[in-house]
Amino acid sequence: MPVPTLITVAPTGAETAKADFPQLPTTLEELVETARRCEAAGAGLVHVHVRDPEAGHAPTLDPVRLRDTVQALRGATDLVVQLSTGGSVHDPLERRLTVLDAEPDSCSLTCGTVNFGDDVFLNPHGFMSDLYVQAQEREVVPEFELFELGHVTALRRLIDQHGLPYGGRVHVDFVTGVPGGMPGTVEALVAGVQMLPPEVTSWSATGIGRAHLPIAAAALAMGGHLRVGMEDNLMYARGQQVQHNAELVERAAHLATTLQRPPMTTAEARELLGVKERRAR
Ligand code: KMH
Ligand code: ZN
């Protein structure tokens, strides 16, 4: 039976400046409107980086903003709400751990340090280990972000040390095409998928920039899931900027449906990832 497709939307990220790309959703209102439209278009999960409109829309890990954002998205949609613990390359490790205080359904957990353009995205083993255990204790489902093939080995080590994450599933996301990480090629994706440990129950992939479409097509063909959004890609086509994240979700849903793997519902996404029910009834 064909597996329906989990479409994750990563609408904002930490790298693009609002001043350079005004359609980037950075306020709480814009984020909620984006999440609603993306859910209607077929998304099952939203990967969130919070910005501070009072500080030039810069990335923030302010605990009140994080908590308000989680609650607003949970109130307005049925999407799985995932907070980034990667933050921006400038965020200290201790602050990144406090993201769990906002009680998201899910958190990202990058499985190793990686060069990130001219910067370094730092994820030493001790940090990953602390985050892994704290997510287990707080019943938050991690999504393991793999930017490098070596990150697959680091994931293996985390599972061996700490057992399965909360929910009993292991979902990973290949983030390909970051300058300094694994390339956004089909060959690299195939190599990564072949290396996954048997505990992995589902995987998705995204390609940065022009790798966006080829990686989406390859992931679908290989039985994987998709991540799209302005965090990863600002161009819809050559010379045509993305105007709204929903455009990318709509295109992903269309592609998935054409390949007989239509978008999964938010209920199916919750089941796939094993997230805890935190919505008010
Ligand atoms: N902004 C990047 C440095 C994550 O969300 O966990 C890290 C990132 C990964 O986006
Ligand atoms: Zn992110």
Side-chain angles (χ1 to χ4, degrees), residues 47 49 84 227 231:
H47 167 86
H49 288 255
S84 166
R227 176 172 123 169
E231 173 166 346

Side-chain angles (χ1 to χ4, degrees), residues 135-230:
Q136 276 174 326
E137 290 168 353
R138 288 154 178 254
E139 303 184 330
V140 173
V141 172
E143 174 182 285
F144 300 100
E145 311 291 348
L146 309 175
F147 288 65
E148 288 275 23
L149 295 188
H151 290 184
V152 184
T153 316
L155 169 63
R156 165 80 278 150
R157 186 177 172 200
L158 287 168
I159 296 171
D160 287 346
Q161 281 184 321
H162 304 299
L164 291 177
Y166 174 76
R169 321 283 209 282
V170 181
H171 178 71
V172 310
D173 177 46
F174 290 96
V175 183
T176 72
V178 167
M182 66 192 279
T185 62
V186 177
E187 290 80 359
L189 182 62
V190 169
V193 171
Q194 284 175 341
M195 286 170 62
L196 290 175
E199 289 86 350
V200 170
T201 47
S202 55
W203 63 270
S204 65
T206 183
I208 303 299
R210 65 184 56 180
H212 214 61
L213 273 174
I215 288 294
L220 281 172
M222 291 164 67
H225 301 276
L226 303 180
R227 176 172 123 169
V228 298
M230 289 187 199

Side-chain angles (χ1 to χ4, degrees), residues 9-66:
V9 62
T12 309
E15 282 70 41
T16 301
K18 180 83 160 177
D20 296 337
F21 212 77
Q23 62 269 49
L24 190 77
T26 53
T27 68
L28 186 54
E29 293 68 29
E30 288 167 346
L31 210 47
V32 167
E33 187 272 344
T34 294
R36 278 207 177 108
R37 270 185 66 184
C38 290
E39 180 179 25
L45 186 155
V46 60
H47 167 86
V48 182
H49 288 255
V50 175
R51 301 291 187 101
D52 182 353
E54 286 163 26
H57 302 267
T60 179
L61 295 179
D62 175 70
V64 175
R65 283 194 192 278
L66 261 62

Side-chain angles (χ1 to χ4, degrees), residues 13-15 47-49 82-90 96 107-110 116 120-123 143 145 147 175 227 231-232:
E15 282 70 41
H47 167 86
V48 182
H49 288 255
Q82 178 182 94
L83 283 182
S84 166
T85 63
S88 90
V89 290
H90 308 294
R96 286 166 52 192
C107 67
S108 59
L109 193 166
T110 296
F116 197 86
V120 174
F121 178 28
L122 195 63
N123 295 284
E143 174 182 285
E145 311 291 348
F147 288 65
V175 183
R227 176 172 123 169
E231 173 166 346
D232 302 338

